[in-house]
Amino acid sequence: MSDDALEAELRRAVELFDPVPSELLQVAVEAYTLRALDAELAELVFDSLSGPARVRGDRAPRMLTFQGAELTVDLEVTVTADGGRVVGQLMPPGPAEVEVLGHRPATLATDELGRFVHDVPAGPFSLRCHLAGATVVTEWITV
């Protein structure tokens, strides 16, 4: 049996006995199709999980800061029983639109100070933020 035939046979076996979960496949498709060429990928400049792990593993919120050329996104992610709660603020402050990408896509409006709150399901999500002509996208965050 050639290598190509063996690989094809193994692929069929995996598809039959261990298929990719439909939710994971949907998130992967959305991650690819919802990417925006006109949006800047914001750089993760702070993550509270990047420090040493706490010994007792307290459930403190995860703090994240993403920096774009014209827009900064500050997030606090708290794990809840059914997913997580995201509290965020855009800088410079002002009314903006925030798209939540992931299992349950949503579009949010910030207040005049650039603040927003949203409950996300367990799993990966990303944010696309539009403020005064600037658009940034965060990397995927898992709750």
Side-chain angles (χ1 to χ4, degrees):
M1 179 179 276
S2 72
D3 288 345
D4 292 336
L6 177 59
E7 182 179 350
E9 188 68 28
L10 290 173
R11 284 184 188 277
R12 282 192 294 276
V14 167
E15 288 173 5
L16 180 63
F17 294 110
D18 190 20
V20 175
S22 61
E23 302 87 28
L24 183 60
L25 184 59
Q26 182 65 30
V27 168
V29 168
E30 288 173 1
Y32 181 75
T33 58
L34 293 177
R35 63 186 165 85
L37 297 177
D38 62 338
E40 174 188 5
L41 181 61
E43 177 185 2
L44 179 63
V45 294
F46 176 77
D47 185 349
S48 61
L49 291 183
S50 64
R54 298 179 189 259
V55 175
R56 295 182 186 228
D58 65 346
R59 308 274 293 182
R62 181 179 180 187
M63 308 300 286
L64 300 144
T65 301
F66 295 92
Q67 178 72 52
E70 300 177 31
L71 187 61
T72 300
V73 182
D74 289 318
L75 300 175
E76 177 181 297
V77 181
T78 305
V79 176
T80 62
D82 58 344
R85 170 163 278 202
V86 179
V87 177
Q89 182 172 18
L90 305 181
M91 297 300 284
E97 181 179 273
V98 177
E99 293 177 65
V100 180
L101 312 173
H103 290 304
R104 256 187 295 161
T107 301
L108 314 170
T110 66
D111 65 10
E112 64 278 352
L113 297 177
R115 299 175 299 191
F116 61 94
V117 176
H118 186 67
D119 292 325
V120 295
F125 73 94
S126 177
L127 302 175
R128 183 179 322 187
C129 308
H130 310 276
L131 174 66
T135 301
V136 298
V137 178
T138 67
E139 65 184 56
W140 289 85
I141 305 159
T142 302
V143 176

